[in-house]
Amino acid sequence: MKWLSLTLALAAPSQAALRFGCSTLSIQRLDPLVEPGNVPSAHLHQIVGGNAFNATMDGDPGERGTCTTCTFSEDFSNYWTAVMFFKHTNGSYKRVPIMQNTALPNGINGGMTIYYTQQDFSSNGNQKITAFKPKGFRMTIGSPTSESKFGPGLKFVCLQNKGTRFPELDDFPTQRCPGGIMTVHHFPACWDGKNLDSPDHQSHMYNTVKDAFQNSGPCPASHPIRVPQVAYETLWDTAQFNNMWPTDGSQPFTLSYGDNKGYGTHADYVFGWKGDSLQKAMDSSCMFNACENGRPLLSQAVNAMNSCNVKSSVTEDIDSWLPALPGMQM
C-alpha cells in the first residue's frame, strides 16, 4: 500500500475503517491467553487497552473495565505483544522505549496504533463485516516457538522516520535504522462463526492475510464470517542504541523471549468493546479520526488515555541494564 492510495481512501465517503492510538497500560510478565493464571508468565509484554486486564481475563472486559488507554472510550479490549530489548556486547540487556506513531495526537505514552479495517484501505469489499462477540472472543497471531522466517501479516520495518511504512521485512533489520524499528501484527479476518476461542487460540480463525493492508481474499466455507481486520503497529526507539552496535555488525536486538531473528513475533487480542459500539462503527462510513466524537464512537483526550493503568502483578526490575531477560535467568 502506498500512502497515495490511503489518501484516496480517505477522500472516499463510502468505506469504514478505524485507526487509533492506545497508550501503554502496563509492561509486565502476564500472558492470560497462553499462560492463564501464571504470575509471572514466561516473558515480558506491553499491554494496552482496558484496565480489566489480569492474569486470567475471566468475564467481559467491556463490562468490568472502568477506564481504557485507547482513543475510543468504549473500547476496553486488550492488545499485547512481546517487548524488545537491546543486547550489549557485554551481555547485558536494556528494554527499548516505545514511541508514539506520528499519525496520532501528540503526547500519547508509548503504546500502539490499532487498526480495524474491512477489506483494505480502498474498499470494504461490499460485504457485511461482523464485529467480534463480547464475553469471551479472543485470538492470537504468531508463535514464540516459530522457526520459520515468513509469518503472514507479521512484519518489521526499518524506520527512516516515524512515517516510514515500507519495505516490510520478515525478520529484524540487519542494519542501523535511523528512525527506529516498527513491528507490525495483522490478525486473521475470517471466523468460524461458532467458537469464541480455541485450544491454540488460532484455529477458530482463518488467515487470508498476505502483506500489509491488502485485500485479504475470500473467507473459506470452514470460516465464513468476515470480521474486522485487526492490526497493531508498535514503534521502538532503537535509534538511541545505534552507537552501541557490535563491531562485527551483528543485529543486537531481541524480543523478550530471547528471539534475535524475529521469527517468533506474536500478538494477543481479547475483545472488550462495550455493547454494539464496534458493529456501529463497522456499519458506518467513517474513516479514522472521523469516527471520533460520537460519529459514531465516543472518544477521549490524550490525558485521559495516559492516566489509565493497572498495577503490576510482578515485582521485578525491567528498566535497568539487566544481566538477563526478565524470566530468562538461569
Side-chain angles (χ1 to χ4, degrees):
M1 180 198 70
K2 301 296 184 182
W3 284 110
L4 174 59
S5 65
L6 175 56
T7 301
L8 293 174
L10 290 172
S14 58
Q15 292 86 42
L18 306 180
R19 178 183 67 192
F20 57 96
C22 297
S23 62
T24 299
L25 177 74
S26 181
I27 298 176
Q28 60 174 310
R29 279 199 291 141
L30 288 186
D31 196 355
L33 295 196
V34 178
E35 298 183 68
N38 285 2
V39 182
S41 65
H43 60 266
L44 198 65
H45 295 96
Q46 180 204 195
I47 306 104
V48 307
N51 69 339
F53 183 83
N54 61 80
T56 60
M57 293 304 290
D58 294 331
D60 180 0
E63 293 179 350
R64 297 181 60 193
T66 59
C67 69
T68 176
T69 70
C70 296
T71 297
F72 295 117
S73 54
E74 296 165 285
D75 182 14
F76 291 81
S77 306
N78 286 116
Y79 315 83
W80 66 97
T81 66
V83 172
M84 190 180 295
F85 281 83
F86 172 81
K87 184 177 182 180
H88 197 278
T89 52
N90 65 13
S92 63
Y93 294 86
K94 180 71 172 176
R95 184 168 63 85
V96 178
I98 303 162
M99 307 180 290
Q100 74 169 70
N101 193 318
T102 188
L104 302 177
N106 288 329
I108 292 176
N109 175 30
M112 303 178 194
T113 307
I114 306 296
Y115 293 82
Y116 288 75
T117 55
Q118 298 205 1
Q119 175 170 293
D120 52 34
F121 269 130
S122 59
S123 172
N124 64 11
N126 297 316
Q127 61 182 310
K128 174 71 173 180
I129 303 297
T130 302
F132 305 107
K133 301 302 179 184
K135 297 181 174 64
F137 183 88
R138 53 200 59 198
M139 60 180 170
T140 66
I141 185 68
S143 169
T145 61
S146 177
E147 296 180 355
S148 171
K149 183 175 182 178
F150 177 71
L154 304 176
K155 301 296 179 181
F156 295 82
V157 178
C158 183
L159 300 176
Q160 302 306 303
N161 54 63
K162 287 185 178 182
T164 306
R165 289 299 177 273
F166 292 91
E168 293 188 325
L169 308 172
D170 295 327
D171 50 6
F172 269 112
T174 56
Q175 75 276 15
R176 294 175 177 86
C177 300
I181 294 174
M182 180 170 70
T183 52
V184 186
H185 299 86
H186 291 267
F187 284 80
C190 297
W191 176 45
D192 67 11
K194 297 175 289 188
N195 297 296
L196 300 179
D197 195 7
S198 50
D200 64 358
H201 312 296
Q202 297 185 6
S203 297
H204 60 308
M205 304 298 293
Y206 189 88
N207 200 348
T208 59
V209 173
K210 302 303 181 185
D211 288 304
F213 295 94
Q214 297 179 1
N215 185 340
S216 296
C219 290
S222 61
H223 295 73
I225 307 300
R226 174 69 74 184
V227 293
Q229 175 74 70
V230 175
Y232 309 169
E233 292 177 343
T234 311
L235 278 63
W236 304 92
D237 188 11
T238 59
Q240 64 181 259
F241 301 98
N242 281 352
N243 64 349
M244 289 185 268
W245 268 57
T247 55
D248 64 4
S250 59
Q251 193 285 121
F253 296 103
T254 183
L255 296 173
S256 52
Y257 49 95
D259 177 7
N260 67 352
K261 300 291 188 182
Y263 300 168
T265 183
H266 58 283
D268 300 58
Y269 173 82
V270 174
F271 177 83
W273 288 78
K274 282 192 173 292
D276 63 350
S277 53
L278 181 60
Q279 189 64 63
K280 286 180 179 178
M282 292 297 98
D283 292 342
S284 78
S285 60
C286 67
M287 290 289 292
F288 299 161
N289 60 352
C291 302
E292 300 176 17
N293 301 314
R295 304 188 307 258
L297 297 173
L298 302 178
S299 53
Q300 61 181 347
V302 169
N303 61 348
M305 296 164 58
N306 289 344
S307 65
C308 184
N309 58 73
V310 295
K311 184 178 180 180
S312 181
S313 300
V314 183
T315 302
E316 62 183 342
D317 184 7
I318 62 171
D319 296 318
S320 303
W321 284 94
L322 304 174
L325 294 170
M328 299 291 165
Q329 296 89 344
M330 297 299 292

